[in-house]
Amino acid sequence: MISCLLARPGRSVVKISHDVSSMRFYASASKAFSTPKTRNIGIIAHIDAGKTTTTERMLYYAGVTKRLGDIDDGDTVMDYLKAERERGITINSAAITFGWKDHRLNLIDTPGHVDFTMEVERSVRVLDGAVTILDGVAGVEAQTETVWRQADRYSLPRLAFVNKLDRTGGAFGRTVQEIWKKLQARPLVTQLPCYYDDATRKGCLAAVIDVVDMKVLEWTSDDGHSWTATALTKDAPTYDEAVLARTALVETLAEMDEAIVDVFFDQADGDHMQVPAVAIKDAIRRVTLDNKAVPVLCGSAFKNIGVQPLLDAIVDYLPSPLDRPAALATINDQRTQLMIPLKENASLCALAFKVTHDPRRGPMVYVKVYAGKLAQRATLFNTTTRSKERANKLLQMYAKDVEEIPAIEAGNIGVIVGLKHTRTGDTLVMANDRQAVKTNLQLGHIDIPSPAFFAAIEPHSVSDEPAVEEALQHLTREDPSLKVWTDEDSGQRLISGMGELHLEIVKDRLINDFKCKADMGKMRISYRESCQADGLATYQYDKEILGKRARASVTVSISSNLDQETLDDNEDKGWASESGNLFKIDLGQFGNEENHQDGAGEGCLSTDEIYQAVHTGLMSGFARGAVLGFPLTRVKVRVSNLEFYGPETTAGAISASVSHAVHQALSSASPNLLEPMMEVVTEVHEADIGHVVADLSGTRRGHVLSMESTLDENRDLDNATEVQHRIKAHVPLSSMLGYSSGLRSLTGGSGSFSMRVIGYGEMGKDRERAVVNEMKGW
Ligand SMILES: Nc1nc2c(ncn2[C@@H]2O[C@H](COP(=O)(O)OP(=O)(O)OP(=O)(O)O)[C@@H](O)[C@H]2O)c(=O)[nH]1
C-alpha cells in the first residue's frame, strides 16, 4: 500500500492556473484549432466503471459546464436522454467538443452495457484514440475486455485511467497487472495513488504521484478545480516508491524505444532519475501511437481527483488525426481497395457513423470527414444508397447544445442537418466528384451482430399506426441493430434488438420521446431455423400478370450444415456463404441455348442479372424457415436446372421460383428450431462461486467451460475479500432471461457478467414443441 503524509513543511508548490473563463470554448473553437491539435477520443469501459462521471468532470474543468453533473442525481450533460437519466446508464454515445490546453477534444462517451455494443462499434471506428476507464475495485471487467478487443480491431492507441481508488478495496497494483494479463497490453505506470496515513483518514485517497515529473498532485477545493503540483522531495514517504516506478517506466520504455535509450546514456549518465521528463513524455507518446504500450493514470473521478492530468495525457499521448494510418475504402463494388490519406485539399470523403432524430431539427447525421472539406450547403452523393443529399447546416456538438459551423475539415467530427436518406454506415462524397460517384467509393461497413430478442409493437388504434410507423423508421435509421418487419401469419409489426434492455429502451423512446400510443408485446427470443435431413424440390413457376405469362422452373437441394463446414472447406468447389449458410449456384446451363427456350432470356437478362436474381431468391428463401418463420442458418443449399421461358419471365419471377423451391426443399428436410447460445462470463467473489456455478450449470442448463481466479502471487492480503473469480460458460439465451437480477440476489449485488451470442444450438424436441406452442398461442 502506498502511503504518504501530506502535511509536509517547506515543499515548493507550483500553482496551476484554473481560470474557467479562459478555457471556455464555443464559437471560436472550430476556427482556432488545426488538425494536429485535434483529438477524436472515445471513453470506453465496462458498465458503471465511471465513464460518464469522468466525462462530466472533464467538461466542468474545461469550462463547458458551470456545475458538476451527477449520475446519481440524473443531471449529467452526457446522459441527456430521459431513459438514460432514469436508469443512470449511458445508452447513446454522446459526442461533445471542448478545448483543453490549446487543443480541440472531440469526445464520445460510449455505453458500457452489452446490449449497446453496436453503439460502441460505431464510435470506435471513427475515433483516433480512446481512454479506458477501469473500476479500481473490480479491476478489468468482462465488458472492458469486449470493448478493448473492439478497439484492438481498429488499432486504437489507448490510455487507461484506474478510477474509484477512493473506495475501500481499491487495488491499483492488481488492476495494472490485469491490464497485462487480461488485456494483453503493456502498462506504463505514469502515476501512483497516494493515501492518507493519519489516524482519522487512514486509507483515504489523498493525492496522485506523477512519476514522470516526480511531483505530488493534490486537489485543494471540494469541486476539484484547484490543485497543486508539488515537487516530490527525498524525505517524502512515497519518494522511494516513486523512484522505483520511474525506474521501471524508463526501463520499459527502453525496451520499445531507441531514442529514450540514447537520452538515458547521453544526457542522463545512465541515471533513471536524470532522464528529462520531456524525453519520457515523448517516448510514451511514440510507443502509445505505435500501440506498443498503454499509459496508466489513476484517481477518483467522483472525488474530483486525477481528471485534469488525464486531460493533459489525452493531449500529450493520444494521436491527432494526422498520426493515424490512412482510412481504407473500396471502389467498384468492393472489388478494389483504396487508401484515403487525410488531406484537406482532396476530394471529400466522409462517413456517417451515427444518426439521431431531433424533434426540432429532424435527422442529425454525425460524420467524420476523412479527406477534403465539407462545406455548408454542399450537394453530396451518398454512395451507399446512391442518392443525392444536401447538407443544409453543419453543427459542432456540445452534448445536447450545438454551434453552427461553416465547414468540417478533414480529421474532424461534426453533424449534418438536412440529409433525408443517409443512415449509419453510409459514405458521402461530393455530388460533382464524378470519379467517386462512378466507382462507388465506400468506406468499410459495420458488421451488425444477429439480434437476440424481438417483440410485437401494437399501436392502440388504427389511427395511431402512422405515427408509430414513422417513429420506428427514425429508430431503425438511428440504430441499424434494430430490425422491423411484419409477421406474415399474424400481420403484426415486430421489432428485434440485441437484448432485453435494448428493446425496453425502444419502448421507452416510442412512448416518451416520440409520444406514440403503442404497447410492446412480450419479449421473445429470436430463434433460428435449420434442417436435420436432406431435401430436394423442383418448383414450377407459372403466372400470368397483366396478360403476360411468366414461366420458370428450378431445382433446389438442401442439407444440414450442423457440423459447420466452413467456406474454406468448400470455397474451391464453388460454394459461397452468407448469413451462416453455404450455397452454390450452378450457372452451367444458363449459357446453354436449349434451356433458353422460345428465345427466353436472350436479349432480356444477362448472365450477371440471372445470377443476381437467383441470389436474391436464395436470400429471400434463407430469411424464413419452415417451423416458425425465423431465418435459416447452418444449411447447405445447391441451386440447379434453372429453366425459364419467354421474355416475360423477369428477374423477379426467377427470384420467386428459387425462394419457393428453397421453402419446399426445406419442408421435406425435417426442419427444426435452433436457439441462440451465449458465451457468458461471470465475475464473482470467492464466497459466491458455489451458488453461481450451481445456478449456471443446473437451472440455467449451461455448460461451465472454465473457472479462473484473478488472484495472483503479488496480491495485497488486505484485499483478499475483493479477489474475483471468473466463470466462463455456454448457456442457452432462453435460460439467461432475468440473469441480471438473479446474479444480483446470488451475490448480494457484487457479481457482474457479460454475454454475447456465439452461435445457435439444437434444443431438443420437447423444448422445441413448447416454444412452437407458445409462439402459436396453442
Ligand atoms: N466511489 C466512487 N464512485 C464512483 C466513481 N466514479 C463513478 N462512481 C459511481 O459509479 C456509478 C457509475 O458511474 P457512471 O459514471 O455512470 O459509470 P459509466 O461507466 O458511465 O456507466 P454506464 O454509462 O452505465 O456504462 C455512479 O454511481 C457513480 O457515482 C469514483 O471515482 N468513486
Side-chain angles (χ1 to χ4, degrees), residues 301-373:
F302 186 65
K303 296 280 179 185
N304 309 316
I305 295 178
V307 176
Q308 294 95 332
L310 177 60
L311 282 165
D312 290 348
I314 291 175
V315 166
D316 291 341
Y317 304 140
L318 290 179
S320 85
L322 288 169
D323 297 314
R324 300 284 294 146
L328 268 187
T330 57
I331 51 171
N332 299 330
D333 289 332
Q334 306 190 7
R335 287 196 296 266
T336 316
Q337 278 207 332
L338 196 74
M339 304 265 249
I340 308 284
L342 188 136
K343 263 199 232 146
E344 209 167 284
N345 55 353
S347 312
L348 176 78
C349 181
L351 179 78
F353 66 94
K354 183 180 166 73
V355 179
T356 61
H357 179 75
D358 183 284
R360 215 157 40 83
R361 297 185 188 91
M364 314 236 298
V365 178
Y366 286 68
V367 290
K368 169 147 185 209
V369 176
Y370 284 90
K373 188 170 178 175

Side-chain angles (χ1 to χ4, degrees), residues 683-695:
E683 294 206 344
V684 295
H685 289 164
E686 202 154 351
D688 299 321
I689 196 160
H691 310 296
V692 173
V693 168
D695 176 57

Side-chain angles (χ1 to χ4, degrees), residues 48-53 72 89-90 112 163-164 166-167 300-302:
D48 274 358
K51 295 179 294 298
T52 306
T53 307
D72 306 307
I89 58 164
T90 306
N163 189 33
K164 299 200 182 179
D166 60 300
R167 285 187 52 203
S300 160
F302 186 65

